[in-house]
């Protein structure tokens, strides 16, 4: 697909950043294409764009982005905001100027063919979705529920009619939620609004900075350190679920959190159900994203009612590769035959795959009814889907626009 940037319209814009964070989601949603200097297949920009069906090129290391002057520099060429730029998401080309667009087209016979595939497959296919638009696209593409909804983006319930919605509580490092811009001006505004001294605000910002944030203060560590974060999110989820249920839209919320937080979540559920005079069924489970969690899956399963393997981070942690920097050396590994495929695209069955199998076996030994699935981008890659089906997983969850691929791959392995 080719996307262009025009000074004449706000409809066709490309968001260009060094790298994206949750703060950029609004702008990313408004854009028709996304270009970043850092990142890769499973970076924030790539994952979010793929979920929305947007053209995205991430990890274009040849570009330099000057946010202050709103200029993109490539070699000795400077491209200012408003100039035409085109992206070819299939080839990864960034093209200067306006190119003709090639919108995707589907055959009218596709749904008939896909219904045959659905009658054969055992593996369920769900979708990663954060907005009503994502959920609608997922449902139209045949998704059987939401396998990953991130609270830092948006909770979706309008999608569900007796279908599960699996919600991951706040995951990104807190510093990603800090506003960007002139630090002194930001501190001055925060101090004025909160009544705190500027030195205290500076101190708090400094404490949030991390050398390696992806391995730092994020995920369940936030909830353990600040239980009120978990309580606030859980309360919002249960209130929304009950409200939808009262409107005739039945939902089955599944909250992903570590065992330390389970009792708190259940306490919040009890309070909300009592306050609203209604209750509903729900599950509390956990993501398995680090090797140690896979190795002690039997202990985790004593509390968790389901496992969701976050294969993007599990791959990163198993290989010790930064998924945002892997583009600097992975092409060399592939060209020299050290790796046969990009492990962030195709599941590493010898390493990461074995961890998934082991964790599934140990988890179900401790809790036979354990529901197991994956919510990484491998859920839309055919050979990976086949592996998950053969490993006995219950479902895969992928970006809405990759759901048909996963449905077909799940059927192929069942034949």
């Amino acid at each position: 697909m080719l996307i262009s940037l025009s000074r004449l319209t706000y409809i066709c814009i490309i968001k260009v950043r060094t790298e994206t964070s949750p703060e950029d989601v609004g702008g990313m949603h408004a854009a028709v294409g996304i270009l970043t200097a850092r990142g890769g297949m499973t970076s924030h920009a790539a994952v979010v764009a793929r979920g929305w069906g947007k053209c995205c090129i991430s990890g274009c290391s040849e570009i330099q982005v000057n946010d202050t002057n709103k200029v993109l520099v490539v070699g000795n060429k400077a491209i200012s905001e408003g100039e035409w730029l085109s992206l070819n998401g299939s080839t990864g080309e960034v093209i200067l100027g306006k190119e003709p667009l090639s919108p995707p087209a589907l055959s009218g016979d596709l749904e008939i063919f896909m219904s045959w595939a659905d009658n054969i497959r055992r593996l369920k296919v769900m979708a990663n979705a954060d907005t009503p638009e994502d959920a609608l696209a997922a449902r139209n593409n045949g998704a059987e529920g939401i396998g990953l909804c991130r609270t830092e983006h948006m909770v979706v319930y309008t999608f569900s009619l007796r279908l599960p919605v699996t919600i991951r509580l706040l995951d990104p490092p807190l510093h990603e939620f800090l506003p960007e811009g002139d630090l002194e001006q930001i501190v001055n505004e925060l101090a004025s609004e909160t009544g705190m001294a500027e030195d205290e605000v500076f101190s708090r910002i400094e404490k949030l900075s991390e050398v390696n944030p992806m391995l730092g203060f994020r995920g369940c560590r936030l909830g353990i350190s600040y239980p009120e974060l978990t309580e606030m999110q859980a309360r919002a989820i249960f209130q929304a679920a009950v409200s939808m249920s009262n409107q005739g839209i039945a939902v089955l919320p599944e909250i992903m959190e570590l065992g330390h937080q389970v009792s708190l979540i259940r306490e919040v559920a009890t309070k909300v159900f009592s306050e609203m005079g209604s209750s509903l069924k729900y599950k509390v489970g956990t993501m398995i994203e680090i090797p140690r969690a896979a190795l002690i899956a039997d202990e985790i399963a004593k509390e968790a009612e389901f496992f969701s393997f976050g294969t993007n981070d599990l791959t990163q942690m198993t290989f010790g590769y930064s998924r945002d920097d892997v583009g600097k050396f992975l092409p060399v590994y592939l060209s020299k035959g050290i790796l046969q495929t990009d492990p962030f695209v195709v599941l590493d069955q010898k390493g990461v795959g074995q961890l998934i199998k082991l964790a599934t076996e140990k988890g179900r030994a401790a809790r036979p009814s354990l529901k197991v699935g994956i919510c990484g981008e491998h859920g839309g890659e055919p050979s990976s889907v086949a592996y998950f089906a053969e490993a006995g997983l219950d479902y895969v969850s992928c970006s809405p626009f990759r759901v048909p691929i996963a449905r077909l791959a799940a059927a192929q392995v069942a034949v």
Side-chain angles (χ1 to χ4, degrees):
M1 177 185 289
L2 293 169
I3 305 296
S4 296
L5 169 68
S6 169
R7 71 174 71 227
L8 301 177
T9 175
Y10 287 103
I11 297 175
C12 296
I13 60 170
I14 294 173
K15 186 171 182 66
V16 183
R17 299 281 280 158
T18 301
E19 60 185 341
T20 63
S21 69
E23 185 185 43
D24 296 305
V25 167
M28 294 170 71
H29 195 271
V32 293
I34 300 164
L35 172 64
T36 68
R38 298 178 193 156
M41 177 74 176
T42 57
S43 65
H44 178 269
V47 171
V48 173
R50 194 176 300 117
W52 288 337
K54 291 181 183 287
C55 182
C56 175
I57 298 177
S58 59
C60 186
S61 58
E62 297 300 313
I63 68 172
Q64 293 181 337
V65 183
N66 187 322
D67 293 323
T68 303
N69 297 326
K70 298 184 178 181
V71 172
L72 168 65
V73 179
V74 185
N76 58 1
K77 177 69 177 179
I79 305 167
S80 300
E81 181 179 61
E83 294 187 48
W84 282 104
L85 192 67
S86 301
L87 305 181
N88 188 325
S90 299
T91 64
E93 293 177 285
V94 180
I95 306 164
L96 183 62
K98 180 182 179 181
E99 294 287 331
L101 307 182
S102 300
L106 297 176
S107 165
D109 298 327
L110 178 63
E111 269 312 306
I112 296 175
F113 175 74
M114 294 304 298
S115 68
W116 299 341
D118 291 340
N119 290 334
I120 297 172
R121 64 182 171 88
R122 181 199 64 81
L123 192 70
K124 288 187 175 182
V125 178
M126 301 170 73
N128 306 337
D130 299 310
T131 69
E133 293 81 8
D134 295 347
L136 180 60
R139 193 69 178 123
N140 290 340
N141 285 327
E144 298 167 272
I146 302 296
L148 174 64
C149 179
R150 293 158 281 216
T151 59
E152 65 264 22
H153 293 166
M154 183 184 289
V155 175
V156 178
Y157 277 126
T158 53
F159 166 93
S160 183
L161 184 62
R162 298 304 299 173
L163 294 175
V165 178
T166 306
I167 303 162
R168 186 199 69 190
L169 300 188
L170 199 62
D171 179 62
L174 288 180
H175 79 272
E176 289 194 7
F177 295 94
L178 292 174
E180 295 189 5
D182 184 275
L183 184 59
E184 290 190 4
Q185 181 181 347
I186 292 170
V187 169
N188 181 264
E189 291 176 358
L190 283 172
S192 298
E193 292 176 6
T194 63
M196 297 172 61
E198 290 192 7
D199 288 344
E200 187 177 356
V201 175
F202 271 116
S203 177
R204 292 293 294 273
I205 292 175
E206 189 175 321
K207 288 178 180 178
L208 287 176
S209 65
E210 297 179 284
V211 175
N212 192 346
M214 294 308 292
L215 297 181
F217 195 24
R218 57 176 288 214
C220 64
R221 296 161 189 167
L222 296 174
I224 292 171
S225 301
Y226 299 107
E228 60 270 25
L229 285 178
T230 299
E231 182 177 357
M232 173 269 295
Q233 294 173 88
R235 173 170 285 276
I237 289 166
F238 288 123
Q239 287 177 337
V242 172
S243 295
M244 290 295 98
S245 181
N246 291 342
Q247 296 176 38
I249 302 175
V251 295
L252 302 171
E254 300 180 348
I255 300 176
M256 292 193 283
E257 195 47 271
L258 198 61
H260 302 78
Q261 303 283 282
V262 172
S263 59
L264 175 58
I265 290 170
R266 296 201 184 282
E267 287 174 10
V268 172
T270 301
K271 290 179 182 177
V272 171
F273 295 160
S274 176
E275 292 167 3
M276 301 187 74
S278 182
S279 64
L280 46 77
K281 292 182 179 179
Y282 68 94
K283 291 183 178 181
V284 181
T286 189
M287 290 191 79
I288 304 290
E289 296 185 287
I290 61 174
R292 187 175 187 275
L295 296 174
I296 61 168
D298 51 341
E299 295 181 26
I300 296 175
K302 293 176 183 177
E303 294 283 351
E305 296 176 277
F306 67 89
F307 285 172
S308 177
F309 291 97
T311 55
N312 298 340
D313 272 352
L314 186 58
T315 297
Q316 176 174 242
M317 296 288 285
T318 302
F319 275 92
Y321 295 164
S322 164
R323 66 187 192 184
D324 291 321
D325 299 304
V326 70
K328 296 176 181 177
F329 59 86
L330 187 58
V332 178
Y333 276 36
L334 295 174
S335 67
K336 292 182 178 293
I338 297 173
L339 292 175
Q340 301 306 308
T341 57
D342 182 340
F344 291 102
V345 178
V346 180
L347 183 75
D348 164 46
Q349 298 182 14
K350 292 182 179 179
V352 178
Q354 292 305 305
L355 285 172
I356 291 172
K357 271 189 176 180
L358 175 66
T360 301
E361 292 168 359
K362 296 187 74 169
R364 286 182 172 156
R367 183 187 290 267
S369 62
L370 186 73
K371 178 181 176 181
V372 182
I374 75 106
C375 63
E377 286 305 306
H378 297 97
E381 195 284 313
S383 66
S384 304
V385 172
Y387 182 87
F388 298 136
E390 292 170 348
L393 271 64
D394 297 302
Y395 71 90
V396 296
S397 184
C398 59
S399 300
F401 294 92
R402 302 184 83 186
V403 167
I405 297 173
R407 290 165 62 193
L408 182 58
Q412 288 174 329
V413 75
V415 174

